[in-house]
């Protein structure tokens, strides 16, 4: 069938991996692609992939990817007849969808009316009640709302949720009525910052539910289908990190009920295009409506993997006026797919977003593996946008095979230059509860993320990696030596005595002693004085192949300045070479509290001279649209506050100084 309104040039009003993913399908359909990009994204992969690109000057979302007028101007300048919004940013903005229609541009998504109906989660729930979809008790919060009465009506525990937007922002769980007012205020601030609207509502919280969503698809002729469910229960801070399809907890009967409810929701909206109906599910099989995401979801690849359907291709076909492609109503589940979101974040520090220079990023090539990446080696991970580096998706005929494939792929993934959640993902996939399908939204509350990360790294890996780092470093020094390259490196050139090197990681220092004989064979290795039975198969500055205590280890090593990044199947390590010469002492005053990441100071909660208790929040930083308090590590008196509201800080900047009261009195 000939399209009613064929798309010839598509502008992708987004960035990162979703922009790249949409462009690849569009180009395969013969559609010209246009990117828009901020200052920070000028060298990003999606910009280079596009046929044409338009610079949106600035970095903040408000002046770039959320500026609808600038994006429409870019569409007009490049002759784009359609705009794909991806997810986030303007994807669920009814006003932008209307502006596209007014400009004669196809908005690849549902109607403005459908977006508007679901844009407010409160209105959405009321509509779903009317459509017969089960919903949880809730109450809207306004200027004059009696929070005590509203909380009692909804019942505790409850969630404070942003009425607009998603991704866990503007959300707080409250068990105690006394904590409700503070949670509402914090959620309102976060929602206003992230979505431009601080409206929140209260909703009954289901303890440790499963988060299950159903992919829906509709066309302009009124046809609506569902493409089965996805399990999205593994979350941190209410944001999904591992998703799979189908759900291990859903049988055929429940799948049919979920699908019927999702289709009823879609028909109540007159839904067109790709969307997702999200549910929370209890242990007894009951489920309740959560929300409708009127866009493509981050986790859509797992549905594509089990159905063989390109959802972006279907989106563009429907947007052109075509009926649903035949593959959609005929879809069947084949095999199992799992997706892991690889984030730049510091898990032990409380999932703080990480930023910096991404020295190296690479993924293995394995059958059944798909990687949707938004970054590449050499890129910069900034503080303005979401910190997701890539999505790694594994498909296999059976769930246990998909788990094994994804775990192997992540173990072979290399991320250097920024902290990542790689080890956490590996630890989750290897946990017996995950293997058995015992997952819910409380998984990471029951299982300590730091312990999961530790479980992902095999015993003895730290020592093995330290040896590999030191030997690679000496190979590097030999390779660049201008003279006497044949001599051993280190502080000794006597072959009968070991060379000594010290490296440090987050756990402390390690002293490695090693000795080569005159034939350059490694004959002695000690780590912190403990001898190891080592045989070296290969030593190079970028790879070290060792046999230690009878087990062979192939380690890849990347050097960046004094940092040494080591990867093997057993895990990954980052070391810093310690110069044996003394270094200057820190100039920071005793009691200094440092910013744990780059960000903006949104609140200063104390004044100089205030007495504080251990754990008291002193300064609140905002990064990636999330609030992060800097707390007093001990009781004391605030003697310095070198920051103010609105100030930008870098990681390591002093934001406050708290000293012992007796020391403060003596100053």
């Amino acid at each position: 069938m000939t399209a009613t309104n064929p798309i010839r040039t598509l502008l992708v009003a987004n960035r990162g991996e979703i922009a790249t993913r949409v462009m690849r399908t569009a180009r395969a359909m013969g559609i010209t692609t246009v990117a828009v990009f901020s200052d920070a994204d000028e060298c990003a992969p999606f910009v280079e992939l596009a046929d044409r690109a338009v610079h949106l000057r600035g970095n903040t979302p408000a002046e770039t990817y959320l500026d609808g007028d600038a994006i429409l101007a870019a569409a007009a300048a490049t002759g784009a007849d359609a705009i794909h919004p991806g997810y986030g940013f303007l994807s669920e903005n009814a006003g932008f969808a209307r502006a596209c229609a007014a400009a004669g541009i196809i908005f690849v998504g549902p109607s403005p009316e459908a977006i508007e109906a679901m844009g407010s989660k409160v209105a959405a729930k009321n509509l779903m009640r009317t459509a017969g979809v089960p919903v949880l008790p809730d109450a809207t919060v306004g200027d004059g709302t009696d929070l005590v009465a509203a909380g009692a009506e909804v019942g505790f525990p409850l969630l404070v949720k942003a009425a607009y937007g998603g991704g866990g922002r503007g959300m707080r769980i409250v068990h105690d009525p006394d904590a409700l007012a503070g949670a509402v205020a914090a959620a309102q601030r976060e929602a206003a910052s992230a979505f431009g609207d601080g409206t929140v509502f209260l909703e009954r919280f289901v303890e440790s539910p499963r988060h299950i969503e159903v992919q829906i698809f509709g066309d302009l002729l009124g046809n609506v289908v569902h493409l089965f469910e996805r399990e999205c229960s593994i979350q941190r801070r209410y944001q999904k990190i591992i998703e799979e399809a189908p759900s291990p907890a859903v049988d055929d009967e429940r799948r049919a009920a979920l699908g019927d409810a999702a289709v009823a929701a879609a028909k109540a909206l007159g839904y067109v295009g790709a969307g997702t109906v999200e549910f929370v599910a209890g242990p007894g099989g009951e489920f309740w409506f959560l929300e409708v995401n009127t866009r493509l979801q981050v986790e859509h690849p797992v549905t594509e993997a089990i159905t063989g359907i390109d959802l972006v291709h279907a989106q563009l076909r429907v947007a052109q006026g075509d009926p649903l492609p035949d593959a959609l109503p005929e879809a069947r589940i084949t095999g199992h797919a799992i997706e892991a979101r690889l984030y730049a974040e510091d898990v032990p520090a409380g999932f703080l977003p990480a930023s910096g220079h991404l020295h190296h990023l690479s993924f293995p090539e394995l059958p059944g593996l798909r990687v949707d990446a938004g970054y590449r080696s050499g890129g910069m991970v900034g503080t303005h946008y979401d910190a997701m580096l890539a999505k790694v998706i594994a498909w296999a005929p059976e769930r246990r095979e998909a788990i094994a494939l994804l775990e192997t792929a992540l173990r072979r993934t290399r991320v250097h230059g920024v902290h990542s959640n790689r080890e956490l993902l590996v630890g989750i996939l290897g946990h017996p509860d995950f293997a058995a399908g015992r997952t819910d939204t409380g998984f990471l509350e029951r299982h300590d993320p730091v312990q999961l990360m530790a479980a992902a790294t095999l015993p003895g890996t730290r020592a093995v990696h330290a040896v590999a780092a030191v030997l690679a470093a000496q190979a590097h020094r030999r390779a660049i030596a201008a003279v006497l390259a044949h001599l051993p490196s280190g502080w000794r050139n006597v072959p009968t005595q070991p060379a000594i090197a010290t490296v440090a990681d987050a756990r402390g220092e390690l002293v490695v002693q090693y000795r080569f004989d005159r034939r350059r064979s490694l004959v002695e290795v000690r780590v912190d004085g403990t001898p190891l039975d080592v045989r070296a198969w290969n030593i190079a500055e970028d790879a070290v192949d060792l046999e230690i205590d009878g087990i062979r280890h192939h380690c890849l090593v990347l050097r960046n300045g004094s940092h040494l990044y080591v990867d093997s199947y057993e895990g990954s390590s980052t070391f810093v070479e310690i110069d044996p010469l003394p270094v200057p002492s820190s100039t920071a005053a005793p009691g200094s509290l440092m910013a744990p990441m780059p960000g903006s100071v949104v609140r200063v909660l104390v004044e100089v001279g205030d007495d504080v208790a251990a754990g008291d929040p002193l300064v609140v930083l905002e990064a990636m649209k999330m609030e992060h308090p800097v707390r007093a590590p001990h009781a004391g008196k605030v003697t310095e506050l070198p920051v103010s509201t609105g100030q930008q800080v870098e990681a390591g900047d002093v934001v406050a100084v708290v000293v012992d009261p007796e020391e403060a009195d003596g100053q």
Side-chain angles (χ1 to χ4, degrees):
M1 177 182 289
T2 302
T4 305
N5 216 356
I7 297 173
R8 294 181 174 83
T9 301
L10 177 71
L11 184 148
V12 182
N14 217 294
R15 63 178 299 278
E17 57 83 20
I18 187 59
T20 298
R21 187 263 171 276
V22 171
M23 288 176 191
R24 283 176 176 158
T25 289
R27 296 184 77 176
M29 296 173 67
I31 297 172
T32 299
T33 58
V34 178
V36 289
F37 64 95
S38 67
D39 293 348
D41 284 335
E42 61 182 2
C43 296
F46 77 92
V47 180
E48 294 185 11
L49 180 65
D51 296 310
R52 307 183 73 184
V54 177
H55 187 185
L56 303 178
R57 300 192 181 279
N59 274 321
T60 66
E63 59 190 351
T64 55
Y65 302 106
L66 283 174
D67 188 340
D69 291 339
I71 288 171
L72 286 170
T78 55
D81 46 25
I83 292 177
H84 194 301
Y87 52 73
F89 296 125
L90 293 170
S91 62
E92 295 178 284
N93 187 307
F96 181 68
R98 284 197 178 92
C100 288
I105 295 173
I106 297 170
F107 178 79
V108 182
S111 67
E113 292 74 24
I115 296 174
E116 211 155 46
M118 292 297 101
S120 166
K121 294 181 177 64
V122 175
K125 291 187 68 174
N126 292 334
L127 181 61
M128 293 303 108
R129 282 192 184 93
T130 303
V133 179
V135 298
L136 289 164
D138 64 274
T140 305
V141 175
D143 290 338
T145 299
D146 183 339
L147 291 179
V148 174
E153 180 182 349
V154 171
F156 290 89
L158 58 80
L159 274 175
V160 182
K161 299 175 67 175
Y164 301 89
R169 298 184 178 99
M171 186 180 293
R172 299 288 190 278
I173 183 172
V174 181
H175 291 89
D176 183 353
D178 293 338
L180 183 56
V184 166
Q188 287 173 328
R189 285 193 303 271
E190 199 166 272
S193 173
F195 313 120
D197 191 306
T199 304
V200 299
F201 68 102
L202 313 181
E203 181 179 76
R204 176 78 58 80
F205 178 66
V206 180
E207 295 278 7
S208 299
R210 287 181 180 268
H211 186 129
I212 296 176
E213 61 188 31
V214 178
Q215 178 71 58
I216 56 171
F217 223 106
D219 64 17
L220 290 166
L221 303 177
N223 301 307
V224 179
V225 298
H226 74 83
L227 296 174
F228 317 112
E229 82 284 348
R230 297 185 287 254
E231 171 89 39
C232 307
S233 296
I234 304 294
Q235 303 178 5
R236 57 101 172 96
R237 291 187 169 184
Y238 308 110
Q239 289 184 309
K240 309 162 190 172
I241 56 173
I242 293 180
E243 304 101 341
E244 57 183 311
S247 166
V250 173
D251 57 19
D252 290 342
E253 182 178 354
R254 186 187 249 192
R255 180 168 295 119
L258 283 163
D260 288 346
V263 169
K267 288 185 174 179
L269 291 168
Y271 201 85
V272 175
T276 301
V277 185
E278 301 197 0
F279 300 94
V280 289
E286 66 277 25
F287 59 87
W288 299 272
F289 172 81
L290 186 61
E291 62 184 340
V292 175
N293 287 304
T294 54
R295 53 172 167 79
L296 201 64
Q297 289 281 82
V298 175
E299 57 272 19
H300 75 275
V302 293
T303 296
E304 294 183 324
I306 65 166
T307 62
I309 295 170
D310 183 331
L311 293 178
V312 173
H313 179 272
Q315 278 188 299
L316 297 175
R317 288 275 304 275
V318 166
Q320 293 179 146
D322 291 348
L324 290 178
D326 293 340
L328 272 68
E330 298 171 2
R332 298 291 182 270
I333 296 174
T334 302
H336 199 96
I338 308 177
E339 172 182 292
R341 301 189 192 186
L342 184 66
Y343 280 97
E345 63 185 11
D346 189 341
V347 175
F351 299 101
L352 291 181
S355 61
H357 186 205
L358 191 59
H359 304 306
H360 184 83
L361 178 66
S362 63
F363 305 90
E365 294 184 5
L366 299 168
L369 188 72
R370 165 179 166 180
V371 177
D372 288 7
Y375 291 85
R376 63 186 172 196
S377 297
M380 287 294 298
V381 182
T383 61
H384 300 287
Y385 316 114
D386 187 82
M388 187 169 67
L389 301 174
K391 302 181 304 194
V392 185
I393 307 103
W395 177 92
E398 296 183 2
R399 183 174 184 265
R400 68 170 183 266
E401 295 173 354
I403 294 173
L405 174 59
L406 185 54
E407 182 179 349
T408 296
L410 288 168
R411 285 189 178 276
R412 296 183 182 178
T413 294
R414 303 179 71 190
V415 185
H416 301 155
V418 295
H419 293 291
S420 82
N421 67 338
R422 192 191 77 155
E423 275 68 32
L424 173 62
L425 298 172
V426 172
I428 293 171
L429 293 169
H431 196 280
D433 282 355
F434 186 85
R438 294 190 292 267
T439 59
D440 55 53
T441 57
F443 187 92
L444 289 181
E445 296 173 6
R446 294 192 305 276
H447 305 294
D448 181 11
V450 175
Q451 292 182 6
L452 288 170
M453 292 180 69
T457 303
L458 300 182
T461 298
R462 183 171 181 246
V464 171
H465 284 185
V467 172
V470 167
L471 294 178
Q474 72 84 31
H476 170 72
R477 288 191 289 270
R478 292 305 87 205
I480 64 173
V483 296
L484 302 178
H486 63 286
L487 291 180
S489 62
W491 289 93
R492 295 184 180 180
N493 59 10
V494 181
T496 59
Q497 298 298 317
I500 302 173
T502 302
V503 294
D505 62 6
R507 294 165 59 182
E509 294 185 359
L510 285 169
V511 177
V512 178
Q513 297 170 275
Y514 61 94
R515 184 169 65 88
F516 293 93
D517 63 18
R518 295 185 182 277
R519 291 180 293 182
R520 301 293 297 151
S521 296
L522 187 67
V523 294
E524 179 184 349
V525 173
R526 294 174 181 268
V527 177
D528 282 348
T530 301
L532 301 179
D533 181 11
V534 178
R535 178 183 179 185
W537 292 87
N538 177 62
I539 298 176
E541 57 184 307
D542 60 353
V544 177
D545 198 352
L546 297 171
E547 183 179 304
I548 299 181
D549 296 333
I551 300 175
R552 194 163 173 176
H553 307 267
H554 181 63
C555 301
L556 301 175
V557 183
L558 182 131
R559 181 187 192 90
N560 185 69
S562 61
H563 286 73
L564 292 162
Y565 302 95
V566 185
D567 291 279
S568 69
Y569 186 80
E570 293 84 359
S572 65
S573 302
T574 301
F575 297 104
V576 178
E577 289 187 283
I578 303 299
D579 192 323
L581 297 176
V583 297
S585 60
S586 172
T587 57
S592 295
L593 305 184
M594 314 294 190
M597 67 202 153
S600 174
V601 178
V602 292
R603 280 180 294 151
V604 177
L605 304 175
V606 293
E607 296 180 355
V608 172
D610 284 355
D611 292 319
V612 295
D616 282 355
L618 310 180
V619 175
V620 179
L621 304 180
E622 182 185 78
M624 307 292 183
K625 298 182 181 177
M626 300 286 282
E627 291 189 0
H628 308 278
V630 177
R631 300 180 182 275
H634 53 76
K637 184 181 291 291
V638 179
T639 59
E640 294 183 38
L641 277 172
V643 296
S644 57
T645 301
Q647 181 177 336
Q648 293 292 320
V649 295
E650 298 296 324
D653 285 354
V654 176
V655 297
V657 177
V658 177
V659 302
D660 183 272
E662 294 183 2
E663 295 180 17
D665 292 340
Q667 291 182 359

